[in-house]
């Protein structure tokens, strides 16, 4: 039996199956559109919430750091799902879970102390590169 030789110097695009992934993602278009609407609503809500807040460190930390990061990862998830890259979406999902826990932790109790802690930690991280 003759085994055909594999050309090692050429790309093998069938390994990624991008066409199949895009075709599969098309079946979930309504869900991804709903996710996009949620992201759009979240960005609108972020600005509206900051406008009506005290505009203090707590508002900046919760809205423009934590909620913005959450929305950024949700947008990344939507981008991956829209193109059919569901297998790599695990990282975004984990980040979303961690972000939601952090926001909940900050808002649950003793918010001012937690905000100060996060702010100082962020300054230290920036200083040390």
């Amino acid at each position: 039996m003759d085994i055909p030789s594999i050309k090692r110097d050429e790309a093998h695009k069938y390994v990624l199956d991008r066409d199949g992934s895009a075709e599969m993602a098309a079946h979930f278009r309504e869900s991804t559109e709903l996710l996009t609407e949620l992201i759009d609503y979240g960005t609108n809500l972020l600005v509206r919430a900051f406008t009506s807040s005290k505009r203090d460190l707590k508002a900046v930390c919760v809205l423009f750091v934590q909620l913005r990061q959450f929305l950024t990862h949700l947008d990344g998830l939507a981008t991956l799902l829209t193109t059919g890259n569901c297998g790599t979406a695990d990282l975004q999902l984990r980040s979303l879970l961690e972000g939601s826990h952090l926001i909940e932790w900050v808002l649950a109790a003793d918010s001012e102390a937690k905000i100060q802690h996060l702010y100082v930690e962020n300054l230290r991280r920036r200083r040390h590169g």
Side-chain angles (χ1 to χ4, degrees), residues 7 13 27-28 31 34 48 60 62 76 91 95 97 101-102 126 129:
K7 296 180 181 180
K13 296 185 182 208
H27 293 291
F28 298 99
S31 298
L34 178 63
R48 288 179 29 218
V60 170
V62 171
L91 295 172
S95 182
L97 179 64
H101 287 316
L102 183 61
R126 286 183 181 193

Side-chain angles (χ1 to χ4, degrees), residues 6-120:
I6 297 174
K7 296 180 181 180
R8 293 180 294 172
D9 297 338
E10 292 181 4
H12 297 279
K13 296 185 182 208
Y14 59 85
V15 171
L16 298 176
D17 192 24
R18 289 184 180 152
D19 294 334
S21 296
E23 185 179 321
M24 181 60 74
H27 293 291
F28 298 99
R29 189 174 320 251
E30 289 179 7
S31 298
T32 55
E33 286 174 359
L34 178 63
L35 192 55
T36 301
E37 286 180 32
L38 182 63
I39 294 163
D40 291 344
Y41 177 73
T43 58
N44 181 279
L45 183 64
L46 185 145
V47 173
R48 288 179 29 218
F50 184 72
T51 302
S52 64
S53 74
K54 294 179 184 178
R55 299 181 187 184
D56 57 356
L57 186 58
K58 181 179 178 181
V60 170
C61 181
V62 171
L63 296 172
F64 281 111
V65 177
Q66 302 305 321
L67 183 57
R68 184 188 157 279
Q69 184 178 21
F70 184 87
L71 290 169
T72 301
H73 290 293
L74 192 60
D75 186 54
L77 176 67
T79 301
L80 289 170
L81 296 179
T82 301
T83 57
N85 292 312
C86 301
T88 58
D90 291 346
L91 295 172
Q92 298 296 335
L93 288 171
R94 167 128 187 192
S95 182
L96 285 168
L97 179 64
E98 291 174 0
S100 68
H101 287 316
L102 183 61
I103 292 170
E104 185 178 348
W105 174 74
V106 167
L107 297 176
D110 203 19
S111 296
E112 295 301 326
K114 292 174 183 176
I115 296 292
Q116 290 295 325
H117 173 75
L118 290 171
Y119 181 67
V120 169

